[in-house]
Amino acid sequence: MARIVLAASLALFVALPAAQANEASDKVISGAIEGFIRPAYGKLVEATATLGKSLATLCAAPSDDNLDAAREQFSKTTATWSEIEIIRFGPITEQNRLERILFWPDRKGTGLKHVQAALADKDETATDAARLAQKSVAMQGLGALEFVLFGTGADDLTGAEGAYRCAYGKAISGNIGSIASEVDAAWRDDKGFAAQWKHPGAENPLYRDATEAVTELLEVYVNGLELVRDVRVNGFLGEEANADKPKQALYWRSQGTAASLGGNISGMKALFDASKFGSLLSDDSQWVAQSIEFEFANAQNAVAAVSGPIDAALADAEKRGKLGYFGVVTSSLSELFGTRLAGALGLTAGFSSLDGD
């Protein structure tokens, strides 16, 4: 997705001495880090650790119950990831970590081809997490693991014939767990990226002033809502029902499409609340923050009404309508963040279209 460039000049900060502007920025950024980012990555580390244990149990004792348990933990992990994946800057962008956890969208089916080839060839190098980490990003993340656990041939995991498939899945879970731990540690390093974001300055290579630091936070919403609406929802929801493409939906095999969308919105709301972003607004502009909270609730309620297989949901007029409304609400949130909140703070946002990457 193309990065949205925000040419920013915070009127609030311009009117304040630099020290006070930095203090206002520090409170908001500190809230984002301490109240949302660090706890959310901590939850991801816990979820991936449990996922790894469930895969190890399945491989050691293949059975229907153990496969069900591994699948359940996969869904819990994707839901946990969906909340924190809105943070698409900082340590997650290093070493292709973001793509290695989730390679999406995969319009050419690259990931599926790689995974199917590994399963067909029984590539032993793919059963070692460290060696797998050096392979294509398309075969080492959640998308690959979803096919292992839910795709064609996954029922083999209940018996000895699924030994290789299970070993590959265990390596994927180990790799995802390692990435989660690396990013978690990087965010918890008080002298690392978090410090750079919290303390902008002339000598800071990433953020020269409070404006740039707060702009980074704003971009989470501007870019994140564009991703959710234009890439995730519009990737499978057609203008008319006959144009729907359910198999283009993220996590369609594991029936986790709606949960993922809900997780994205829940993550944004949790970040908004933890950072107290709305506190930067003047009293006259507090309606913007209130409207944002209202629309977050509308989005969460709409997607919560969509459950089960995404193809069945799309075939249900009421549920399909909820997905359409969800898209409308994300557009409203985009306007609230990119135009209303940005304008109230003296920001000028320059929007660019998605480039499909």
Side-chain angles (χ1 to χ4, degrees):
M1 185 173 68
R3 183 172 176 79
I4 293 176
V5 178
L6 295 174
S9 176
L10 281 173
L12 171 64
F13 291 168
V14 169
L16 293 173
Q20 288 180 267
N22 286 336
E23 181 180 357
S25 169
D26 180 65
K27 288 182 179 180
V28 171
I29 303 306
S30 293
I33 295 170
E34 302 295 341
F36 174 72
I37 295 176
R38 286 177 173 172
Y41 273 122
K43 291 178 183 177
L44 182 63
V45 170
E46 293 177 1
T48 56
T50 304
L51 176 64
K53 292 176 182 177
S54 70
L55 263 295
T57 298
L58 175 62
C59 294
S63 69
D64 290 335
D65 287 345
N66 285 340
L67 175 56
D68 288 343
R71 285 173 168 173
E72 181 180 358
Q73 190 55 42
F74 172 84
S75 295
K76 289 180 179 179
T77 301
T78 56
T80 302
W81 164 248
S82 295
E83 292 191 8
I84 191 57
E85 74 164 321
I86 63 168
I87 302 300
R88 305 173 79 82
F89 66 98
I92 193 67
T93 63
E94 299 171 4
Q95 302 174 27
N96 294 320
R97 288 170 175 149
L98 185 61
E99 295 78 10
R100 287 168 57 207
I101 289 183
L102 179 62
F103 179 69
W104 190 270
D106 182 13
R107 295 186 177 90
K108 297 180 180 179
T110 303
L112 180 59
K113 293 174 185 175
H114 280 299
V115 173
Q116 289 176 323
L119 292 172
D121 298 339
K122 289 184 168 54
D123 177 7
E124 291 300 324
T125 64
T127 63
D128 178 81
R131 293 159 81 180
L132 179 62
Q134 305 305 314
K135 293 182 177 293
S136 166
V137 298
M139 63 181 296
Q140 57 174 288
L142 291 169
L145 186 55
E146 183 188 37
F147 186 83
V148 168
L149 290 173
F150 297 89
T152 303
D155 288 343
D156 288 349
L157 291 168
T158 61
E161 63 271 24
Y164 173 80
R165 189 182 190 113
C166 198
Y168 175 35
K170 185 168 69 171
I172 296 172
S173 68
N175 176 63
I176 295 171
S178 294
I179 298 171
S181 294
E182 291 170 1
V183 178
D184 179 59
W187 272 104
R188 292 182 191 283
D189 181 0
D190 289 328
K191 295 182 180 179
F193 180 82
Q196 289 181 301
W197 191 24
K198 285 195 295 184
H199 305 299
E203 303 302 318
N204 188 323
L206 297 177
Y207 306 102
R208 293 170 297 178
D209 53 38
T211 293
E212 293 186 355
V214 174
T215 295
E216 187 75 85
L217 181 60
L218 179 62
E219 286 186 329
V220 170
Y221 300 99
V222 178
N223 287 298
L225 289 162
E226 185 180 24
L227 172 69
V228 169
R229 180 183 63 254
D230 296 343
V231 178
R232 297 283 168 83
V233 176
N234 291 346
F236 68 85
L237 183 66
E239 292 187 10
E240 302 294 336
N242 60 9
D244 291 342
K245 299 177 181 178
K247 290 187 178 181
Q248 294 297 314
L250 179 62
Y251 305 133
W252 69 269
R253 289 185 176 88
S254 56
Q255 301 183 21
T257 301
S260 173
L261 295 172
N264 293 155
I265 295 300
S266 293
M268 291 185 205
K269 182 183 186 305
L271 176 63
F272 188 74
D273 293 343
S275 66
K276 293 182 172 54
F277 204 175
S279 68
L280 294 179
L281 294 164
S282 67
D283 291 343
D284 290 343
S285 298
Q286 280 301 312
W287 68 269
V288 176
Q290 294 165 3
S291 296
I292 286 171
E293 293 281 5
F294 179 75
E295 291 291 51
F296 273 144
N298 284 336
Q300 289 174 313
N301 290 335
V303 79
V306 182
S307 59
I310 192 62
D311 56 346
L314 290 171
D316 182 309
E318 183 176 354
K319 290 183 178 180
R320 189 178 185 280
K322 293 292 186 179
L323 286 168
Y325 178 65
F326 177 82
V328 171
V329 174
T330 57
S331 293
S332 175
L333 282 165
S334 288
E335 195 267 345
L336 284 167
F337 276 104
T339 301
R340 300 300 181 181
L341 185 143
L345 295 177
L347 292 164
T348 301
F351 292 86
S352 62
S353 62
L354 293 171
D355 61 12
D357 292 339

